[in-house]
């Protein structure tokens, strides 16, 4: 019901798109259902008054109706889809506040940086210098530019009353432009399954007046603490039903470090890695970067299990151990010369080959070696 009665202009346009598409398709569906029932009743076996024309095989007028009506609807749906795909592109900046009001030329949007954690939401307000957990607020009739990423697994950022869902992915940044037009408290959540705490990965979104938003910012600054790297690394650990938290200040480069997957000390940032690749690679010297580029084992050795992670990242074995070897019929058997010595693998002739198998991966990171 929230989707069909939203409070933001983008969500309202998406609602209109749903209604228009449904009505266009019903223009064919309803008559077809009605005529199917009518023909079944009128031309039933017991109705001897119905016209009986066994030699009839063609009607130009009927063919025109059968083909023209669906074709017209397909053209209409195609036009609506083409226009709305570009007009409602989440990366496209807003050009209006609602259907009656254009966006004033001097309007400055509010920027919010969103991070999906396991299993809570972290929001940065870089222009205000504050951050929050599981609570989001924005002034009514002010465009909001969301920058969205994730710390580990993929999630989906979704406030039904505001706009459609946008994926949050680690190492990537997605964007969403939206505006809330009515005051109120709205539900936000993750619309993509991401592990054990997914069901409680929810937050409140407050649409406030300018005065109400200023008061909310003042409350965050008054009640909040500092969000630095150490505080973030503690917050990042998987937890469920996390309460609302306020941060009166946050490290200016923390969001960029999360985006580039280098918030943990000693990790190489992805933009640095991409710069090395862009310049032709680091050669043999890049072998020392191997540990700096391992991101999925950042909680190894702790009492925290990464969602979905098993060996070798966490040392947690899979639920079902695969058989050592099988033949074409799925029967287990031993192969001559097979052993489990770390650092060895088998060639077709049954002899061991060093450097592969269960041993560590090669230190080289590119093909320039």
């Amino acid at each position: 019901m929230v989707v069909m009665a939203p409070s933001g202009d983008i969500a309202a346009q998406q609602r209109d798109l749903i209604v228009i598409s449904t009505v266009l398709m019903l223009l064919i569906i309803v008559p077809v259902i009605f005529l199917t029932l009518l023909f079944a009743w009128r031309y039933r076996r017991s109705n001897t008054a119905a016209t009986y024309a066994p030699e009839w095989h063609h009607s130009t007028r009927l063919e025109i109706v059968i083909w023209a009506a669906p074709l017209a609807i397909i053209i209409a749906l195609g036009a609506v889809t083409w226009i709305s795909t570009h007009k409602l592109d989440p990366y496209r900046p807003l050009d209006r506040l609602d259907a009656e009001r254009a966006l004033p030329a001097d309007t400055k949007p509010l920027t919010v940086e969103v991070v999906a954690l396991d299993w809570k939401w972290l929001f940065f307000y870089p222009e205000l210098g504050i951050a929050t957990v599981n609570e989001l607020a924005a002034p009514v009739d002010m465009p909001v530019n969301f920058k969205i990423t994730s710390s580990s697994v993929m999630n989906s950022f979704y406030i039904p009353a505001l706009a459609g869902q946008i994926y949050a992915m680690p190492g990537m940044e997605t964007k969403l432009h939206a505006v809330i037009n009515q005051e109120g408290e709205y539900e936000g959540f993750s619309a993509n399954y991401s592990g054990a705490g997914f069901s409680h990965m929810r937050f409140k979104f407050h649409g406030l007046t300018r005065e109400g938003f200023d008061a909310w910012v003042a409350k965050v600054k008054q009640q909040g603490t500092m969000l630095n790297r150490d505080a973030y690394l503690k917050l990042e650990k998987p937890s469920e039903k996390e309460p609302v938290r306020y941060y009166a200040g946050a490290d200016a480069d923390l969001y960029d470090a999360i985006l580039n997957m280098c918030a943990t000390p000693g990790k190489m940032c992805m933009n640095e890695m991409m710069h090395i690749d862009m310049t032709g690679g680091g050669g043999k010297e890049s072998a020392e970067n191997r540990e700096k580029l391992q991101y999925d084992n950042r909680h190894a050795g702790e009492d925290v299990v990464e969602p979905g992670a098993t060996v070798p990242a966490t040392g947690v074995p899979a639920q079902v151990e695969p058989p050592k070897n099988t033949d074409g019929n799925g029967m287990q058997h031993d192969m001559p010369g097979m052993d489990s010595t770390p650092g060895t693998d088998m060639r077709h002739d049954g002899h061991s080959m060093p450097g592969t198998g269960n041993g560590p991966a090669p230190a080289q990171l590119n093909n320039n070696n």
Side-chain angles (χ1 to χ4, degrees):
M1 296 305 297
V2 175
V3 173
M4 301 310 295
S7 302
D9 183 57
I10 296 297
Q13 293 182 68
Q14 293 171 335
R15 182 269 321 274
D16 294 342
L17 180 61
I18 294 173
V19 172
I20 292 172
S21 301
T22 303
V23 170
L24 284 173
M25 290 183 285
L26 287 176
L27 290 177
I28 284 291
I29 295 173
V30 172
V32 166
I33 294 175
F34 172 76
L35 290 174
T36 300
L37 298 175
L38 176 63
F39 293 162
W41 176 81
R42 179 173 175 80
Y43 296 102
R44 66 193 185 279
R45 184 176 183 180
S46 61
N47 186 14
T48 57
T51 302
Y52 178 66
E55 301 299 326
W56 180 90
H57 66 280
H58 179 74
S59 171
T60 302
R61 183 181 303 175
L62 188 59
E63 290 284 349
I64 292 175
V65 173
I66 289 175
W67 289 102
L71 182 60
I73 291 176
I74 290 173
I75 293 174
L77 281 172
V80 170
T81 302
W82 175 268
I83 295 171
S84 59
T85 296
H86 292 84
K87 188 176 182 181
L88 297 177
D89 181 358
Y91 282 62
R92 182 175 182 264
L94 302 183
D95 56 7
R96 73 180 203 182
L97 296 177
D98 55 34
E100 286 80 29
R101 295 176 296 170
L103 183 68
D106 58 345
T107 301
K108 183 179 180 181
L110 175 68
T111 299
V112 179
E113 297 167 339
V114 182
V115 181
L117 302 174
D118 301 318
W119 288 273
K120 56 263 180 186
W121 292 93
L122 174 61
F123 304 104
F124 292 95
Y125 289 79
E127 297 159 349
L128 303 175
I130 63 174
T132 61
V133 171
N134 287 344
E135 185 171 284
L136 179 64
V140 170
D141 294 335
M142 173 179 284
V144 183
N145 296 350
F146 293 100
K147 299 179 179 180
I148 307 167
T149 190
S150 173
S151 67
S152 58
V153 299
M154 184 170 71
N155 279 279
S156 182
F157 177 73
Y158 189 27
I159 306 175
L162 181 69
Q165 61 174 314
I166 302 296
Y167 283 113
M169 294 171 282
M172 298 179 63
E173 180 181 82
T174 52
K175 297 181 181 180
L176 173 66
H177 294 81
V179 61
I180 193 72
N181 300 121
Q182 299 177 23
E183 292 183 59
E185 182 179 279
Y186 307 101
E187 188 80 6
F189 56 91
S190 173
N192 189 82
Y193 181 74
S194 59
F198 160 77
S199 300
H200 305 290
M201 196 171 173
R202 296 175 175 269
F203 63 92
K204 295 296 182 181
F205 171 57
H206 301 279
L208 305 171
T209 62
R210 299 296 177 97
E211 295 76 14
F213 180 73
D214 291 339
W216 179 82
V217 172
K219 180 178 70 171
V220 173
K221 291 183 176 181
Q222 180 181 4
Q223 300 179 6
T225 57
M226 182 65 186
L227 182 62
N228 52 26
R229 293 289 183 100
D230 292 337
Y232 168 76
L233 292 177
K234 295 178 181 178
L235 178 66
E236 182 215 26
K237 295 180 180 179
S239 61
E240 300 182 29
K241 299 181 180 180
E242 193 73 21
V244 172
R245 298 176 184 269
Y246 295 148
Y247 296 97
D251 287 355
D253 61 344
L254 183 54
Y255 173 78
D256 287 334
I258 298 171
L259 173 61
N260 286 285
M261 304 182 72
C262 56
T264 303
K267 297 299 181 183
M268 175 178 286
C269 295
M270 288 186 61
N271 54 3
E272 297 174 354
M273 174 70 176
M274 290 186 286
H275 178 74
I276 293 174
D277 290 343
M278 184 181 65
T279 56
K284 294 182 178 180
E285 291 78 9
S286 64
E288 64 186 31
N289 294 333
R290 181 175 183 270
E291 292 185 0
K292 300 178 182 179
L293 297 171
Q294 292 179 340
Y295 303 109
D296 293 335
N297 64 344
R298 57 191 180 282
H299 295 308
E302 304 176 9
D303 293 332
V304 175
V305 178
E306 278 291 288
T310 55
V311 291
T314 64
V316 179
Q319 293 182 356
V320 180
E321 290 292 341
K324 293 182 179 180
N325 226 335
T326 61
D327 58 19
N329 298 320
M331 298 295 294
Q332 298 186 22
H333 61 85
D334 295 328
M335 289 181 62
M338 173 65 71
D339 61 42
S340 58
T341 304
T344 64
D345 198 0
M346 300 305 302
R347 301 188 311 196
H348 293 296
D349 56 6
H351 297 287
S352 62
M353 183 169 60
T356 58
N358 296 327
Q364 292 83 357
L365 295 181
N366 53 55
N367 294 326
N368 291 333
N369 299 321

mmCIF file of all heavy atoms in Angstrom, residues 151-165:
data_model
loop_
_atom_site.group_PDB
_atom_site.id
_atom_site.type_symbol
_atom_site.label_atom_id
_atom_site.label_comp_id
_atom_site.label_asym_id
_atom_site.label_seq_id
_atom_site.Cartn_x
_atom_site.Cartn_y
_atom_site.Cartn_z
ATOM 1 N N SER A 151 29.834 -2.764 2.942
ATOM 2 C CA SER A 151 31.109 -3.136 3.546
ATOM 3 C C SER A 151 31.504 -4.569 3.223
ATOM 4 O O SER A 151 32.686 -4.905 3.247
ATOM 5 C CB SER A 151 31.053 -2.963 5.065
ATOM 6 O OG SER A 151 30.149 -3.901 5.636
ATOM 7 N N SER A 152 30.508 -5.444 2.938
ATOM 8 C CA SER A 152 30.847 -6.849 2.714
ATOM 9 C C SER A 152 30.004 -7.448 1.599
ATOM 10 O O SER A 152 30.431 -7.498 0.458
ATOM 11 C CB SER A 152 30.696 -7.648 4.002
ATOM 12 O OG SER A 152 29.372 -7.536 4.508
ATOM 13 N N VAL A 153 28.775 -7.886 1.901
ATOM 14 C CA VAL A 153 27.951 -8.541 0.886
ATOM 15 C C VAL A 153 26.956 -7.554 0.297
ATOM 16 O O VAL A 153 26.754 -6.458 0.806
ATOM 17 C CB VAL A 153 27.199 -9.755 1.490
ATOM 18 C CG1 VAL A 153 28.175 -10.775 1.998
ATOM 19 C CG2 VAL A 153 26.262 -9.308 2.603
ATOM 20 N N MET A 154 26.306 -7.980 -0.795
ATOM 21 C CA MET A 154 25.372 -7.096 -1.492
ATOM 22 C C MET A 154 24.069 -6.971 -0.709
ATOM 23 O O MET A 154 23.522 -7.948 -0.216
ATOM 24 C CB MET A 154 25.096 -7.631 -2.902
ATOM 25 C CG MET A 154 24.206 -6.717 -3.734
ATOM 26 S SD MET A 154 24.110 -7.208 -5.472
ATOM 27 C CE MET A 154 23.127 -8.704 -5.330
ATOM 28 N N ASN A 155 23.575 -5.751 -0.593
ATOM 29 C CA ASN A 155 22.276 -5.464 -0.017
ATOM 30 C C ASN A 155 21.488 -4.603 -0.993
ATOM 31 O O ASN A 155 21.963 -4.306 -2.096
ATOM 32 C CB ASN A 155 22.419 -4.752 1.331
ATOM 33 C CG ASN A 155 22.718 -5.708 2.469
ATOM 34 O OD1 ASN A 155 21.833 -6.349 3.005
ATOM 35 N ND2 ASN A 155 23.993 -5.799 2.835
ATOM 36 N N SER A 156 20.301 -4.182 -0.592
ATOM 37 C CA SER A 156 19.490 -3.314 -1.431
ATOM 38 C C SER A 156 18.855 -2.234 -0.567
ATOM 39 O O SER A 156 18.107 -2.539 0.371
ATOM 40 C CB SER A 156 18.411 -4.117 -2.164
ATOM 41 O OG SER A 156 17.659 -3.259 -3.023
ATOM 42 N N PHE A 157 19.168 -0.989 -0.843
ATOM 43 C CA PHE A 157 18.673 0.162 -0.089
ATOM 44 C C PHE A 157 17.281 0.519 -0.600
ATOM 45 O O PHE A 157 17.109 0.827 -1.778
ATOM 46 C CB PHE A 157 19.640 1.335 -0.280
ATOM 47 C CG PHE A 157 19.221 2.616 0.380
ATOM 48 C CD1 PHE A 157 19.288 2.750 1.757
ATOM 49 C CD2 PHE A 157 18.776 3.684 -0.374
ATOM 50 C CE1 PHE A 157 18.909 3.936 2.367
ATOM 51 C CE2 PHE A 157 18.397 4.877 0.221
ATOM 52 C CZ PHE A 157 18.470 5.003 1.601
ATOM 53 N N TYR A 158 16.285 0.485 0.286
ATOM 54 C CA TYR A 158 14.902 0.672 -0.172
ATOM 55 C C TYR A 158 14.074 1.416 0.864
ATOM 56 O O TYR A 158 13.930 0.958 2.007
ATOM 57 C CB TYR A 158 14.275 -0.686 -0.460
ATOM 58 C CG TYR A 158 12.921 -0.621 -1.148
ATOM 59 C CD1 TYR A 158 12.559 0.445 -1.966
ATOM 60 C CD2 TYR A 158 11.999 -1.653 -0.987
ATOM 61 C CE1 TYR A 158 11.324 0.486 -2.600
ATOM 62 C CE2 TYR A 158 10.764 -1.627 -1.628
ATOM 63 C CZ TYR A 158 10.427 -0.548 -2.426
ATOM 64 O OH TYR A 158 9.205 -0.509 -3.052
ATOM 65 N N ILE A 159 13.535 2.574 0.461
ATOM 66 C CA ILE A 159 12.533 3.314 1.227
ATOM 67 C C ILE A 159 11.315 3.428 0.314
ATOM 68 O O ILE A 159 11.277 4.291 -0.570
ATOM 69 C CB ILE A 159 13.040 4.709 1.637
ATOM 70 C CG1 ILE A 159 14.370 4.597 2.376
ATOM 71 C CG2 ILE A 159 12.004 5.425 2.510
ATOM 72 C CD1 ILE A 159 15.001 5.936 2.714
ATOM 73 N N PRO A 160 10.314 2.563 0.453
ATOM 74 C CA PRO A 160 9.193 2.530 -0.497
ATOM 75 C C PRO A 160 8.484 3.860 -0.675
ATOM 76 O O PRO A 160 8.028 4.176 -1.775
ATOM 77 C CB PRO A 160 8.262 1.466 0.104
ATOM 78 C CG PRO A 160 9.149 0.599 0.925
ATOM 79 C CD PRO A 160 10.199 1.499 1.472
ATOM 80 N N ALA A 161 8.385 4.655 0.380
ATOM 81 C CA ALA A 161 7.678 5.935 0.280
ATOM 82 C C ALA A 161 8.482 6.979 -0.477
ATOM 83 O O ALA A 161 7.921 7.988 -0.931
ATOM 84 C CB ALA A 161 7.345 6.458 1.677
ATOM 85 N N LEU A 162 9.788 6.751 -0.637
ATOM 86 C CA LEU A 162 10.675 7.751 -1.239
ATOM 87 C C LEU A 162 11.007 7.451 -2.684
ATOM 88 O O LEU A 162 10.876 8.315 -3.560
ATOM 89 C CB LEU A 162 11.955 7.839 -0.416
ATOM 90 C CG LEU A 162 13.001 8.847 -0.877
ATOM 91 C CD1 LEU A 162 12.495 10.270 -0.655
ATOM 92 C CD2 LEU A 162 14.331 8.627 -0.144
ATOM 93 N N ALA A 163 11.472 6.238 -2.975
ATOM 94 C CA ALA A 163 11.901 5.873 -4.337
ATOM 95 C C ALA A 163 12.110 4.363 -4.390
ATOM 96 O O ALA A 163 11.968 3.657 -3.393
ATOM 97 C CB ALA A 163 13.191 6.612 -4.712
ATOM 98 N N GLY A 164 12.469 3.878 -5.570
ATOM 99 C CA GLY A 164 12.699 2.451 -5.754
ATOM 100 C C GLY A 164 13.993 1.991 -5.116
ATOM 101 O O GLY A 164 14.817 2.798 -4.677
ATOM 102 N N GLN A 165 14.179 0.678 -5.057
ATOM 103 C CA GLN A 165 15.346 0.107 -4.404
ATOM 104 C C GLN A 165 16.589 0.225 -5.281
ATOM 105 O O GLN A 165 16.522 0.151 -6.500
ATOM 106 C CB GLN A 165 15.083 -1.359 -4.056
ATOM 107 C CG GLN A 165 14.788 -2.243 -5.265
ATOM 108 C CD GLN A 165 14.671 -3.702 -4.894
ATOM 109 O OE1 GLN A 165 15.493 -4.221 -4.151
ATOM 110 N NE2 GLN A 165 13.667 -4.366 -5.416
#
